[in-house]
Amino acid sequence: MIHNRLKKELTLTEASRVFESWKNPPPPVYMEYYFFNVTNPEVFLAGGKAVVTQIGPYTYREYRPRENVTFLENGTKVYALNPKSFVFVPEKSRGNPEVDILRTVNIPAVAVMSELNSYSFLLRTFVSIYMKSIGVEIFMTRTVHEVLWGFKDPLLTKIHSVRPEVDEMFGLMWKKNGTHEGEFVFLTGERDYMEYGRIDTWNGLTEMSWWSSKQSNMINGTDGSVFHPLLSRKELLYIFAADLCRSIHLGYVEDVDVKGIPAYRFAPPHDVLQSPEENPTNAGFCVPAGDCLGTGVLKVSVCREGAPIVVSFPHFYQADDKYINAVDGLHPNKEEHETYLDLNPTTGVPIRACKRAQLNIILNRVPGFPETKHLNEIIFPIMFVNETATIDDDSAAQMRTLLLIVTLVSNFPLLIVGMGAILLIVLVVLVCRSRQKKNEVKRIDFTEAFHSFTTAKDETAYTQVSDKPEVEPSENNYTNQPMRNGSYIAMSPVEAQKC
């Protein structure tokens, strides 16, 4: 009964109790940005090993209300946009992004060199000379705010004058403050509770076309904000991550407790980013087909306008050692770099979430650009983000109350059986005591009767029949006189004959 009620209540409909929290999530979401500052760019360009130091976090509060919510197909689907806006939180940050200086890879310059790799050597040489004339190098020095939210890049400005469709501004989060990741249509769960929150289409597409296999192009699961109720430890949960250009799956790890709420922890297993040699199903993420990287990294150039961008977990967590050892200053560990979701198994509601992803770029030798002549191919770390959310105290209190009611009602039959067993034991005890009392009463009655009988017998044996004074017997009359009452009663021979 409770499970059926949960299946009906947890739907994306206006009558549902979870609908408002889905439209305006109450738990605060924080985005922590960490950057890798390059301390020896000259040594690296000369063929040495790069050394990086991690700076940050630079923390922003993320607001993500759903807008233009529209129900479709008799309430079985719902359309929504999910714009995100960010506000800097100094008390949760380490440093000032508008003041702190960062030395990192010049992504626009590397992207241009990578794009020209298929052009003639003469054109690449000409572009190299021009880049040097305007002071564009492989590494750049900017403030954290500029790298994150955008600046006017001199190389892109020149390209923009020739190709207006190319934006002259560059920033890792450029045009992502106050914008959305696409148009989503979700299944409400009205027909089947397992469809609750599942993505039906993204930007009008039921599948992507970037990757080289049908399975890799599938849009699976939810957007990570909701999951169906009555979760099992044995199932895999799917999430479509638009920023990663793919769907990923999460498996059960362990049971945890968050603010007194029981939860299952789900995390991406090791096979999510395994190389095709270890996991053949990942061959579809090699574009073009056969052009594959190792374990722990994913090339996403196909959805990043051709830029040689690679994503991974922070510090190449769960990646091959060759990526970790290529740069000094990386220290992967599970506690700080694992992505996970803590979900209440009864309701499917996320109680705590940590989404962690790292942005990297491929650097290699490009003929015609002298700066790259000492480079061997390397996946160079740029920054990583830690997106966190934990259920607020008010919502946690409501959740605990709900789970208490569910537990009590679900266990009501057991309570009834338990009470029945206790009453049965009490009944048996009372019956046994009652019988014991009856036996004691009977024993007492028998004892009293026996005692009364004995007393009466004694009194009969010793009661005098004659009232005459007792004369002391003598030897003369002892034999001639009959025995009188005293020790026994007897009749004389004469009296016996009379009878």
Side-chain angles (χ1 to χ4, degrees):
M1 180 186 68
I2 290 297
H3 288 177
N4 289 335
R5 184 65 182 272
L6 284 173
K7 294 173 185 178
K8 293 180 180 179
E9 284 287 337
L10 297 177
T11 57
L12 296 180
T13 58
E14 291 182 334
S16 172
R17 296 183 181 181
V18 299
F19 185 66
E20 283 301 320
S21 62
W22 177 76
K23 287 178 60 178
N24 295 286
V29 180
Y30 294 99
M31 296 286 285
E32 297 177 340
Y33 295 96
Y34 296 83
F35 291 87
F36 296 104
N37 185 57
V38 185
T39 60
N40 62 340
E42 295 82 8
V43 174
F44 174 71
L45 292 177
K49 194 175 186 180
V51 178
V52 298
T53 56
Q54 177 180 297
I55 62 174
Y58 301 95
T59 306
Y60 293 79
R61 170 76 184 271
E62 179 182 347
Y63 297 89
R64 46 195 309 172
R66 300 187 192 272
E67 298 179 352
N68 298 348
V69 177
T70 307
F71 290 98
L72 308 172
E73 298 184 17
N74 296 324
T76 59
K77 299 179 182 180
V78 59
Y79 167 92
L81 300 176
N82 193 198
K84 300 178 182 180
S85 56
F86 303 89
V87 178
F88 182 63
V89 185
E91 58 271 18
K92 289 182 174 291
S93 302
R94 186 177 297 172
N96 187 340
E98 297 186 353
V99 175
D100 295 352
I101 300 298
L102 172 67
R103 182 183 294 151
T104 186
V105 175
N106 190 337
I107 296 178
V110 173
V112 169
M113 289 188 290
S114 178
E115 180 69 19
L116 293 176
N117 204 18
S118 59
Y119 287 77
S120 66
F121 178 82
L122 183 62
L123 178 61
R124 292 197 298 269
T125 302
F126 174 77
V127 173
S128 175
I129 295 172
Y130 176 76
M131 289 171 58
K132 190 172 183 179
S133 67
I134 61 175
V136 175
E137 299 178 347
I138 292 181
F139 289 94
M140 63 180 180
T141 302
R142 296 277 181 176
T143 65
V144 170
H145 182 84
E146 288 177 323
V147 174
L148 194 58
W149 301 108
F151 63 93
K152 189 174 182 179
D153 183 77
L155 181 59
L156 294 179
T157 299
K158 180 61 178 179
I159 297 175
H160 175 75
S161 64
V162 180
R163 300 174 58 183
E165 68 273 15
V166 176
D167 200 325
E168 60 185 350
M169 300 290 293
F170 171 79
L172 299 176
M173 294 292 291
W174 172 247
K175 290 185 177 180
K176 293 185 178 180
N177 195 353
T179 60
H180 57 80
E181 294 181 331
E183 300 178 351
F184 287 87
V185 175
F186 302 93
L187 299 177
T188 62
E190 278 281 277
R191 294 178 301 192
D192 184 353
Y193 81 99
M194 294 293 290
E195 295 180 344
Y196 171 60
R198 186 180 299 173
I199 298 172
D200 184 56
T201 63
W202 175 65
N203 287 334
L205 302 173
T206 57
E207 62 179 23
M208 298 170 288
S209 58
W210 295 319
W211 308 109
S212 57
S213 72
K214 183 176 180 61
Q215 181 178 354
S216 300
N217 281 316
M218 295 176 66
I219 299 176
N220 296 325
T222 71
D223 63 351
S225 62
V226 294
F227 296 89
H228 67 82
L230 308 178
L231 296 171
S232 168
R233 294 182 178 91
K234 298 180 180 180
E235 67 180 306
L236 291 177
L237 302 180
Y238 286 86
I239 296 175
F240 173 69
D243 52 347
L244 299 180
C245 311
R246 61 165 290 183
S247 298
I248 63 172
H249 60 272
L250 297 87
Y252 169 80
V253 178
E254 61 181 342
D255 284 24
V256 295
D257 185 277
V258 182
K259 295 186 177 182
I261 302 173
Y264 293 168
R265 174 162 293 182
F266 287 84
H270 190 62
D271 63 354
V272 169
L273 293 180
Q274 275 185 332
S275 66
E277 288 78 12
E278 299 178 54
N279 183 10
T281 58
N282 284 340
F285 295 108
C286 302
V287 179
D291 184 12
C292 306
L293 299 176
T295 293
V297 294
L298 175 67
K299 188 176 181 180
V300 293
S301 302
V302 290
C303 60
R304 289 293 181 268
E305 298 180 354
I309 300 297
V310 174
V311 295
S312 67
F313 294 120
H315 287 244
F316 295 114
Y317 173 69
Q318 290 186 342
D320 289 339
D321 290 340
K322 63 180 179 180
Y323 301 122
I324 302 172
N325 298 328
V327 177
D328 281 341
L330 301 180
H331 309 285
N333 65 82
K334 181 178 180 179
E335 290 73 20
E336 296 180 358
H337 305 139
E338 181 187 39
T339 292
Y340 63 85
L341 279 173
D342 294 339
L343 306 174
N344 176 254
T346 303
T347 62
V349 173
I351 307 301
R352 179 171 55 196
C354 285
K355 176 185 175 183
R356 294 156 171 164
Q358 179 170 299
L359 181 71
N360 314 278
I361 193 166
I362 299 177
L363 297 179
N364 52 23
R365 186 181 298 110
V366 181
F369 292 90
E371 274 190 304
T372 67
K373 64 181 180 180
H374 297 295
L375 297 183
N376 296 316
E377 183 172 305
I378 180 177
I379 298 180
F380 204 95
I382 303 296
M383 56 85 71
F384 73 89
V385 61
N386 179 23
E387 184 177 11
T388 62
T390 304
I391 189 171
D392 59 285
D393 293 338
D394 292 339
S395 299
Q398 295 177 10
M399 178 67 70
R400 288 193 297 268
T401 302
L402 172 63
L403 294 176
L404 177 61
I405 295 173
V406 170
T407 302
L408 291 177
V409 176
S410 299
N411 294 325
F412 189 71
L414 297 178
L415 294 176
I416 295 298
V417 172
M419 291 176 62
I422 293 173
L423 291 176
L424 180 61
I425 293 172
V426 171
L427 177 63
V428 171
V429 171
L430 291 176
V431 169
C432 292
R433 292 185 62 181
S434 176
R435 290 183 176 179
Q436 184 179 4
K437 286 183 178 179
K438 288 182 179 179
N439 292 334
E440 290 177 355
V441 169
K442 290 181 180 180
R443 190 179 298 110
I444 291 172
D445 291 344
F446 176 78
T447 304
E448 290 179 352
F450 181 78
H451 178 71
S452 300
F453 174 76
T454 305
T455 304
K457 182 178 178 181
D458 291 342
E459 289 176 353
T460 302
Y462 294 98
T463 300
Q464 294 182 358
V465 174
S466 177
D467 292 334
K468 293 180 179 181
E470 188 173 349
V471 180
E472 193 72 28
S474 62
E475 295 181 358
N476 296 327
N477 59 9
Y478 181 80
T479 58
N480 297 326
Q481 297 295 331
M483 292 291 293
R484 289 177 294 184
N485 290 345
S487 59
Y488 65 91
I489 299 175
M491 292 189 301
S492 64
V494 176
E495 290 173 342
Q497 289 177 0
K498 289 181 179 179
C499 293

